[in-house]
């Protein structure tokens, strides 16, 4: 099969298209013929360990490899068809259209992947194109993990900072589905998108500092790691929750202190990419209350170019890789 691999950490130039043996499923696995995958903010970090605090890089290295990548194939999200089922699997059949996420195992920037049938994989929402399905899992499962950790409830006022990124566009839609009143913070060019996703209010961060607002929020969800608790607490309700996806060791110490000494709560954690959450998001898509947001699509062969774009830090929603399986096949 064709796959994009990297045998050393570094910039996008370390990524190469190679031919490697197609994996065979174990009895509890299914093999997915991938039609679409993504390049996420997480993938570009794992590629080179650049642009992340050195303390976090040090913690991550034992898991991802000290001197070279343990997993040479990046990519966490996939959408495709079940191609083979292991002998113990009865929950999927060959030909099922599926989507899912492999989390820390990665490996989806390839034509095929084997995953446990009990992992975060589901049949796709009816009539959804593969590209849209691949764009769903990373942002939505991260956002769902954090909103649940922040104990979101109906009627909460929630501010989503970084509302136009993969996690942000998901967080707006999920918070609306869960009955919250939502304020999205983004730059001028993304205001109308954020409104179209259901945000009740928008703040342009290039014009207005949300922390000077007179409104207070039950949850402030910083999806891009650009705010501080010190500044945010001015607009956080007395028992408000501050959620942070991108954090360093110092934030973990700060979280301990905040949670010990105040009624407010700070949440820094790693998404667990729950299978149940994927089912819940699938139901929202089928109900017409959740949609994919795709910025750009690249063919698998141009993954390095996609990484260069994501490295810029200003993508809107997801960057999708289309995976072809023969001449004339565009992937979707
Ligand atoms: N803890 C976890 O389990 C976990 C899981 C997934 C992701 N993450 C982390 O979460 C972060 C966000 O992920 P993502 O995939 O959503 O990122 P992303 O899609 O790359 O985010 C890009 C968006 O960020 C916005 N942005 C950039 N600078 C901004 C600023 N100063 N203020 C407000 N918005 C700004 C951009 O909007 P403009 O172009 O308008 O500036 C752009 O739309 C990453 O650091 C990722 O590693 C953590």
């Amino acid at each position: 099969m064709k796959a994009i691999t990297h045998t050393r950490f570094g910039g996008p130039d370390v990524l190469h298209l190679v031919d490697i043996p197609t994996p065979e499923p174990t009895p509890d696995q299914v093999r997915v013929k991938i039609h679409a995958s993504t390049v996420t903010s997480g993938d570009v970090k794992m590629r080179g360990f650049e642009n992340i605090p050195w303390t976090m890089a040090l913690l991550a290295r034992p898991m991802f490899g000290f001197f070279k990548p343990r997993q040479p194939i990046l990519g966490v999200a996939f959408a495709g068809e079940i191609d083979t089922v292991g002998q113990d699997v009865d929950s999927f059949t060959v030909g099922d259209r599926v989507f899912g996420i492999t989390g820390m195992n990665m490996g989806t920037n390839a034509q095929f992947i084997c995953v446990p049938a009990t992992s975060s994989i589901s049949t796709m929402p009816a009539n959804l194109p593969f590209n849209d399905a691949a764009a769903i899992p990373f942002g939505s499962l991260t956002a769902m993990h954090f909103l649940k950790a922040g104990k979101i409830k109906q009627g909460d006022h929630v501010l989503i900072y970084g509302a136009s990124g993969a996690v942000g566009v998901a967080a707006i839609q999920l918070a609306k589905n869960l009955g919250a009143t939502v304020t999205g913070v983004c730059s001028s060019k993304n205001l109308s998108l954020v409104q179209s996703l259901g945000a009740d209010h928008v703040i342009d961060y290039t014009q207005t500092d949300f922390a000077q607002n007179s409104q207070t929020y039950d949850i402030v969800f910083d999806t891009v790691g650009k705010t501080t608790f010190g500044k945010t607490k001015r607009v956080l309700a007395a028992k408000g929750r501050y959620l942070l996806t991108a954090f360093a060791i110092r934030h973990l110490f700060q979280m301990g202190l905040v949670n010990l000494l105040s009624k407010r709560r700070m949440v820094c954690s790693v998404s667990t990419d729950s299978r149940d959450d994927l089912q819940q998001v699938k139901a929202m898509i089928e109900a017409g209350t959740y949609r994919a947001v795709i910025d750009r699509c690249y063919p698998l062969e141009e993954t390095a170019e996609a990484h260069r774009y994501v490295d810029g830090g200003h993508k809107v929603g997801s960057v999708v890789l289309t995976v072809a399986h023969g001449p004339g096949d565009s992937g979707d």
Side-chain angles (χ1 to χ4, degrees):
M1 71 168 181
K2 296 204 181 309
I4 299 293
T5 64
H6 69 315
T7 51
R8 61 189 172 89
F9 296 114
D13 292 343
V14 300
L15 301 169
H16 297 288
L17 182 71
V18 294
D19 272 304
I20 55 172
T22 304
E24 289 299 328
T26 56
D28 64 335
Q29 288 184 328
V30 292
R31 185 168 70 191
V32 180
K33 182 179 181 183
I34 297 176
H35 290 291
S37 180
T38 54
V39 175
T40 67
S41 54
D43 294 313
V44 299
K45 287 181 177 174
M46 293 305 110
R47 184 198 70 225
F49 285 98
E50 297 155 342
N51 301 325
I52 56 174
W54 70 268
T55 46
M56 296 308 280
L58 205 62
L59 276 183
R61 280 294 174 100
M63 202 180 308
F64 296 103
F66 269 108
F67 303 108
K68 61 178 188 151
R70 266 188 213 279
Q71 163 57 286
I73 308 175
L74 293 169
V76 292
F78 63 86
E81 292 164 77
I82 299 282
D83 166 75
T84 311
V85 293
Q87 64 199 40
D88 296 344
V89 176
D90 54 15
S91 47
F92 293 99
T93 51
V94 171
D96 282 349
R97 289 162 66 93
V98 292
F99 71 142
I101 190 160
T102 58
M104 306 267 183
N105 295 325
M106 301 183 278
T108 68
N109 291 172
Q111 286 182 314
F112 293 90
I113 190 158
C114 293
V115 295
T118 52
S119 64
S120 296
I121 176 173
S122 162
T123 52
M124 281 168 43
N127 304 321
L128 199 68
F130 288 121
N131 285 357
D132 285 29
I136 300 289
F138 178 79
S140 66
L141 298 193
T142 303
M144 190 72 107
H145 170 87
F146 276 88
L147 290 171
K148 284 185 174 174
K151 300 196 175 357
I152 187 171
K153 58 183 187 317
Q154 188 148 15
D156 273 354
H157 281 249
V158 177
L159 180 135
I160 313 286
Y161 191 92
S164 51
V167 180
V169 297
I172 293 167
Q173 299 183 81
L174 294 178
K176 284 305 296 175
N177 269 282
L178 297 169
T181 299
V182 176
T183 299
V185 183
C186 59
S187 66
S188 325
K189 67 182 167 52
N190 294 319
L191 289 172
S192 56
L193 167 75
V194 169
Q195 271 168 328
S196 76
L197 294 172
D200 302 282
H201 310 281
V202 284
I203 296 174
D204 179 348
Y205 75 78
T206 66
Q207 304 293 323
T208 308
D209 179 357
F210 76 94
Q212 302 303 327
N213 217 336
S214 54
Q215 171 75 49
T216 55
Y217 302 95
D218 301 295
I219 294 178
V220 172
F221 184 4
D222 177 355
T223 70
V224 285
K226 303 281 187 188
T227 65
T228 63
F229 177 75
K231 197 174 137 182
T232 301
K233 69 181 180 195
R234 282 190 230 144
V235 291
L236 206 52
K239 290 186 177 176
R241 286 82 74 197
Y242 174 64
L243 318 178
L244 192 59
T245 58
F247 53 88
I249 297 283
R250 67 191 154 82
H251 293 111
L252 299 177
F253 286 114
Q254 186 180 29
M255 177 170 71
L257 284 177
V258 168
N259 295 352
L260 188 70
L261 301 175
S262 87
K263 288 188 172 146
R264 297 189 175 107
R265 287 286 167 268
M266 182 167 168
V267 176
C268 305
S269 78
V270 176
S271 173
T272 47
D273 297 334
S274 146
R275 180 187 173 95
D276 290 345
D277 289 350
L278 188 63
Q279 293 289 356
Q280 210 177 331
V281 175
K282 176 184 167 181
M284 291 176 194
I285 295 169
E286 289 180 332
T289 58
Y290 190 100
R291 70 174 169 93
V293 176
I294 295 177
D295 185 333
R296 293 183 180 190
C297 296
Y298 294 83
L300 181 69
E301 293 74 7
E302 292 175 21
T303 300
E305 205 47 52
H307 271 249
R308 280 186 199 98
Y309 181 62
V310 177
D311 271 344
H314 292 283
K315 73 176 167 65
V316 176
S318 297
V319 166
V320 169
L321 297 176
T322 54
V323 184
H325 286 264
D329 174 12
S330 65
D332 206 356

